[in-house]
């Protein structure tokens, strides 16, 4: 499904790429204090997840543009915009995303709800009907192009790019180097597809409390699908994903519950 690829594109990591095995899982930092402004950038970025999750909850807004580089998937530029909420204790996450494709004046809207280890999906025009998804819960990510685990474990290098204003408050921008990698994922039938992610730089903005208020990155992914038939040669395709996630309203109550009637 297109929405699934969009979500996966938002959590491309070092060795996981778009693999379902380790994407988007939240790793809560054990750090109890926020490093001071004179701490080195690597320490501050690593501690940012703990500082963010200590707020208890947050509202987030995501945007992404996916466009073909080589091959035919996607064949046109795709734009998505989403809003959601996350309860870091779970983390339980609800995300509503609209995908704007070429010549589609009324983009489909997909709602994704993660409660514990379960993921539920509802896509217009089916209305409010929820369906249990086979996608693993840890694929639902609130940090856009990076994951909490990748920031906690990053080895850098990390640079400081300056200060800007986000959501009315000052924020310091950090550049975090993310190495590329290759992984495998089950494709159609019994085949396996290979996903290669080129090295990229993730931009992470922290507020005065060391919390993550925005992330952004452009990631280039090459997918080699399984052979169409025995003995055939798979045709790889490459796409570029530019995505941003903005967090706000830290600590506001978030009420998420399992949908009734979901399969």
């Amino acid at each position: 499904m297109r929405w699934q690829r969009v979500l996966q594109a938002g959590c491309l990591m070092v060795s996981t790429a778009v693999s379902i095995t380790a994407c988007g899982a939240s790793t809560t930092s054990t750090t109890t204090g926020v490093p001071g402004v004179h701490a080195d950038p690597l320490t501050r970025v690593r501690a940012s997840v703990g500082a963010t999750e200590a707020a208890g909850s947050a509202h987030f807004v995501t945007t992404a543009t996916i466009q073909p580089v080589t091959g035919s998937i996607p064949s046109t530029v795709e734009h998505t915009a989403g809003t959601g909420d996350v309860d870091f204790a779970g983390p339980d996450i609800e995300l509503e995303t609209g995908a704007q494709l070429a010549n589609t004046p009324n983009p489909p809207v997909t709602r994704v709800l993660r409660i514990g280890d379960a993921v539920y999906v509802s896509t217009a025009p089916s209305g409010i009907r929820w369906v249990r998804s086979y996608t693993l819960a840890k694929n639902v990510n609130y940090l856009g192009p990076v994951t909490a685990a990748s920031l906690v474990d990053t080895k850098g290098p990390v640079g400081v790019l300056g200060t800007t204003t986000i959501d009315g408050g000052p924020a310091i921008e950090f550049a975090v180097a993310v190495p590329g990698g290759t992984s495998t994922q089950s494709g159609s039938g019994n085949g396996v597809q290979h996903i290669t992610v080129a090295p990229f730089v993730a931009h992470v903005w922290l507020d005065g409390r060391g919390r993550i208020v925005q992330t952004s990155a452009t990631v280039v992914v090459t997918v080699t699908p399984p052979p169409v038939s025995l003995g055939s040669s798979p045709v790889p395709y490459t796409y570029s994903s530019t995505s941003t996630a903005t967090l706000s309203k830290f600590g506001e109550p978030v009420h998420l519950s399992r949908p009734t009637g979901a399969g």
Side-chain angles (χ1 to χ4, degrees):
M1 296 176 65
R2 287 184 183 272
W3 68 266
Q4 181 175 338
R5 188 174 71 245
V6 169
L7 284 178
Q8 291 171 337
C11 49
L12 304 171
M13 298 313 304
V14 178
S15 60
T16 59
V18 288
S19 172
I20 287 179
T21 57
C23 182
S26 176
T27 301
T28 302
S29 171
T30 58
T31 303
T32 56
V34 177
V37 294
H38 298 296
D40 66 275
L42 178 61
T43 298
R44 296 173 71 179
V45 167
R46 284 179 169 175
S48 64
V49 173
T52 303
E53 295 186 354
S57 63
H59 177 73
F60 62 94
V61 176
T62 65
T63 61
T65 298
I66 301 175
Q67 56 188 359
V69 177
T70 60
S72 60
I73 302 176
S75 58
T76 59
V77 177
E78 301 178 5
H79 301 283
T80 66
T83 60
D85 296 285
V86 54
D87 179 355
F88 295 118
D92 295 335
I93 300 169
E94 183 171 13
L95 172 66
E96 179 175 291
T97 303
Q100 180 69 56
L101 310 179
N103 302 318
T104 56
N106 298 310
V109 175
T110 297
R111 296 179 65 192
V112 182
L113 176 64
R114 166 185 172 176
I115 300 290
D117 293 330
V119 173
Y120 305 91
V121 179
S122 174
T123 303
S126 61
I128 61 175
R129 180 173 178 268
W130 290 92
V131 177
R132 181 75 176 264
S133 172
Y134 291 102
T135 302
L136 295 186
K138 54 191 174 183
N139 276 0
V140 184
N141 184 38
Y142 64 89
L143 288 179
V146 295
T147 66
S150 71
L151 295 182
V152 169
D153 297 331
T154 182
K155 295 178 173 59
V158 177
V160 180
L161 299 184
T163 302
T164 187
T165 300
I166 294 179
D167 196 27
I172 300 177
E173 180 181 1
F174 296 85
V176 183
V178 181
T182 300
S183 66
T184 58
Q185 181 179 341
S186 297
S188 58
N190 296 321
V192 174
Q193 62 183 6
H194 299 269
I195 305 100
T196 300
V197 180
F200 65 97
V201 175
H203 296 258
V204 180
W205 287 262
L206 307 183
D207 66 7
R209 299 184 182 182
R211 302 176 301 193
I212 302 166
V213 291
Q214 193 169 90
T215 65
S216 181
T218 296
V219 184
V220 177
V221 183
T222 299
V223 180
T224 303
V228 176
S229 60
L230 184 64
S232 65
S233 297
V235 179
Y237 61 89
T238 300
Y239 64 89
S240 172
S241 173
T242 299
S243 55
T244 299
T246 303
L247 277 66
S248 62
K249 300 180 181 178
F250 294 101
E252 289 197 355
V254 173
H255 303 288
L256 304 179
S257 59
R258 295 178 184 271
T260 58

